[in-house]
Amino acid sequence: MDAGKPAGGGGHRRPETTTDLVLKLPAPPSTPVADTPVLITEEQDVFVRCEVAIENLKVAFWAAGKALEIIRGGRLYRADYTSFDDYVDQRWGMSRGQADKLIRMWRVAEALFESTPSDSNDPTRIRVKKLNQAVVWELVPVAEGYDVDVATTVYRTAVEADETAVTADVLRGVVQGIRKALPKSGDAVDRGVLTKAVQTALKTVATKKKAKQGKGTASKKASAPADVPPALPWESPEALNRLLRKHMSVENRRTLGKLLTED
């Protein structure tokens, strides 16, 4: 089936897509439309539409995962495809594994966005808006082993502790660190115990990260040659002479002088 045409065999009008949104954006201006401190109405409208396009990028994996589960659960692909595997492969060039991964992530992503303050300038919301697939994926085992609320508590506790940037690697270490403090999969989780476990695990991960960075810096300093002279100032004989007198022995300077006098 043509990937550019809507599936389903019907003539239903498709809702506006991200592509439609982008095509409606104006061409980038060579100069600002206005120079006032406050955006004029035309600029405000364009700015809002541009930010919506950017936000679509941040939530694309969440939207795709939810949509894929709806299509899979309702077998909405059946008019044109014999199986869900055929649908994601032929329609989207996606493997079943990729589709399943998106499906497993979307509930965590949606819960994190919905649980944040509505104030767009709230620090927690700003951090959550930086979510990506790699970070959310590290929370999936927690969500599947307990529930989505536990997973969001882990993430929110980590970002609010402000120990270090909560990257996928950091979160992986935190999730591994809290396993001993959590009950068996499926049992109720004490939020107070969970919060303390996350804070402790995060401090451990942050300490190891700083130590590793310190070793890397020390290693670079140890391997760097001492007192490395700067690039030679070829255009200034006087400066070159001073530099050579500083870094070359008398014997080597005499040898160099003889070589320079040779034709």
Side-chain angles (χ1 to χ4, degrees), residues 114-135:
E114 288 187 337
S115 65
T116 54
S118 58
D119 182 1
S120 61
N121 292 320
D122 183 276
T124 304
R125 186 171 183 82
I126 291 172
R127 290 190 183 104
V128 170
K129 280 198 171 186
K130 294 180 180 179
L131 275 176
N132 55 50
Q133 289 190 51
V135 170

Side-chain angles (χ1 to χ4, degrees), residues 6-263:
H12 299 289
R13 183 177 180 181
R14 294 181 60 174
E16 187 175 71
T17 65
T18 302
T19 302
D20 297 326
L21 177 65
V22 173
L23 291 175
K24 289 182 180 180
L25 291 176
S30 56
T31 58
V33 175
D35 58 3
T36 55
V38 179
L39 299 182
I40 63 174
T41 302
E42 178 186 348
E43 291 176 312
Q44 290 176 354
D45 177 63
V46 171
F47 185 54
V48 168
R49 284 190 285 156
C50 287
E51 289 215 313
V52 169
I54 297 169
E55 189 168 17
N56 281 343
L57 172 66
K58 300 299 294 182
V59 301
F61 72 96
W62 158 23
K66 188 172 185 177
L68 284 166
E69 184 164 8
I70 292 170
I71 291 171
R72 185 187 67 182
R75 297 186 66 246
L76 303 182
Y77 54 81
R78 67 183 183 276
D80 299 288
Y81 303 92
T82 58
S83 68
F84 183 67
D85 293 49
D86 288 342
Y87 168 70
V88 295
D89 175 37
Q90 297 173 28
R91 172 71 167 146
W92 303 112
M94 184 187 301
S95 70
R96 177 61 185 265
Q98 290 174 310
D100 287 344
K101 185 174 182 178
L102 289 169
I103 289 171
R104 293 172 67 189
M105 285 192 292
W106 78 260
R107 284 182 175 81
V108 178
E110 183 172 273
L112 283 169
F113 275 90
E114 288 187 337
S115 65
T116 54
S118 58
D119 182 1
S120 61
N121 292 320
D122 183 276
T124 304
R125 186 171 183 82
I126 291 172
R127 290 190 183 104
V128 170
K129 280 198 171 186
K130 294 180 180 179
L131 275 176
N132 55 50
Q133 289 190 51
V135 170
V136 173
W137 180 244
E138 298 303 328
L139 293 168
V140 169
V142 180
E144 294 179 343
Y146 299 93
D147 57 44
V148 171
D149 188 41
V150 174
T152 59
T153 299
V154 170
Y155 182 79
R156 287 176 61 83
T157 302
V159 297
E160 289 169 4
D162 211 21
E163 285 281 347
T164 184
V166 184
T167 62
D169 287 339
V170 168
L171 202 54
R172 186 181 307 119
V174 169
V175 171
Q176 292 174 349
I178 65 175
R179 285 177 178 172
K180 292 182 179 179
L182 293 176
K184 292 181 179 180
S185 180
D187 291 349
V189 177
D190 183 289
R191 291 299 186 271
V193 172
L194 176 61
T195 298
K196 289 181 180 179
V198 171
Q199 292 170 343
T200 300
L202 185 62
K203 286 182 179 179
T204 300
V205 172
T207 300
K208 289 181 179 179
K209 183 179 178 181
K210 289 178 182 178
K212 186 176 181 180
Q213 290 174 339
K215 288 182 180 179
T217 302
S219 177
K220 288 181 180 179
K221 288 182 178 180
S223 62
D227 196 22
V228 178
L232 297 177
W234 301 111
E235 302 302 323
S236 174
E238 294 80 5
L240 182 60
N241 180 51
R242 289 195 298 271
L243 192 61
L244 293 178
R245 286 179 178 278
K246 179 180 179 182
H247 295 284
M248 292 183 71
S249 66
V250 174
E251 183 179 352
N252 285 341
R253 290 202 308 273
R254 287 174 179 169
T255 302
L256 178 60
K258 291 179 181 179
L259 292 173
L260 291 173
T261 58
E262 294 179 358
D263 292 332

